[in-house]
Amino acid sequence: MPALSKARKVGVAFIGTGAVTAYHHLPGLRLDPRAELVAVCDSDPEILKKRQSEWNVEHASTDPEVVCGLEKVDAVVIATPNDTHRPIAVAAAKAGKHVMCEKPLGLSDPEVGAMYEAARDAGVVHMAAFTYRFAPSMRYLRHLLKSGA
């Protein structure tokens, strides 16, 4: 996994470029000047071509493993059908990529366990896309709970 520094942006790949990615992940990514969209992946070649053009992304593939193998990719966002989460997350972790995966992580405890083990063994961060945990209102609620208020 390449070393990150303030001089180098985190290269992110979207695997799955449907509505969740277009309306949530892309705007969120664009808010952070430390991150850069470097690759997109989708099983539909037509939507892939459209997203690559619309989002001005250099790398595009219908194969998640190809995207995970790109040196410019440091992290992936998985927003694909639920039954594809485990194999993509495991491939990403084995390629040394950090992973944020849409809900549900997997379809069973063993699937989620395999995802956890792959991330642990590769030393990468893996998280579910519970993005509301970072919203100011949720952080304030946590503060209130911890303070006993």
Side-chain angles (χ1 to χ4, degrees):
M1 179 170 38
L4 301 177
S5 71
K6 290 183 179 183
R8 183 179 173 280
K9 292 183 178 186
V10 175
V12 177
F14 290 147
I15 301 178
T17 62
V20 168
T21 299
Y23 298 125
H24 299 285
H25 297 302
L26 180 65
L29 182 84
R30 288 187 171 161
L31 287 173
D32 193 333
R34 301 167 300 172
E36 176 182 18
L37 181 60
V38 297
V40 290
C41 179
D42 201 280
S43 61
D44 183 331
E46 288 190 28
I47 195 166
L48 180 64
K49 185 176 178 181
K50 179 182 176 192
R51 295 300 197 215
Q52 183 180 18
S53 174
E54 285 177 344
W55 298 346
N56 192 28
V57 183
E58 182 180 352
H59 299 284
S61 176
T62 56
D63 185 343
E65 290 195 29
V66 168
V67 169
C68 291
L70 294 171
E71 190 175 323
K72 285 186 169 189
V73 173
D74 300 304
V76 300
V77 175
I78 301 171
T80 57
N82 299 344
D83 64 333
T84 65
H85 291 178
R86 183 200 48 79
I88 296 170
V90 168
K94 285 183 178 179
K97 311 307 180 187
H98 301 290
V99 176
M100 183 171 83
C101 185
E102 270 300 333
K103 303 168 289 296
L105 284 178
L107 300 179
S108 66
D109 290 345
E111 280 196 15
V112 174
M115 295 164 77
Y116 164 77
E117 290 168 3
R120 179 201 61 206
D121 294 350
V124 298
V125 175
H126 180 275
M127 69 176 277
F130 293 120
T131 54
Y132 285 122
R133 78 180 87 189
F134 302 112
S137 58
M138 295 300 114
R139 295 174 71 111
Y140 182 64
L141 179 60
R142 181 174 186 213
H143 162 76
L144 291 174
L145 289 169
K146 285 188 140 209
S147 71

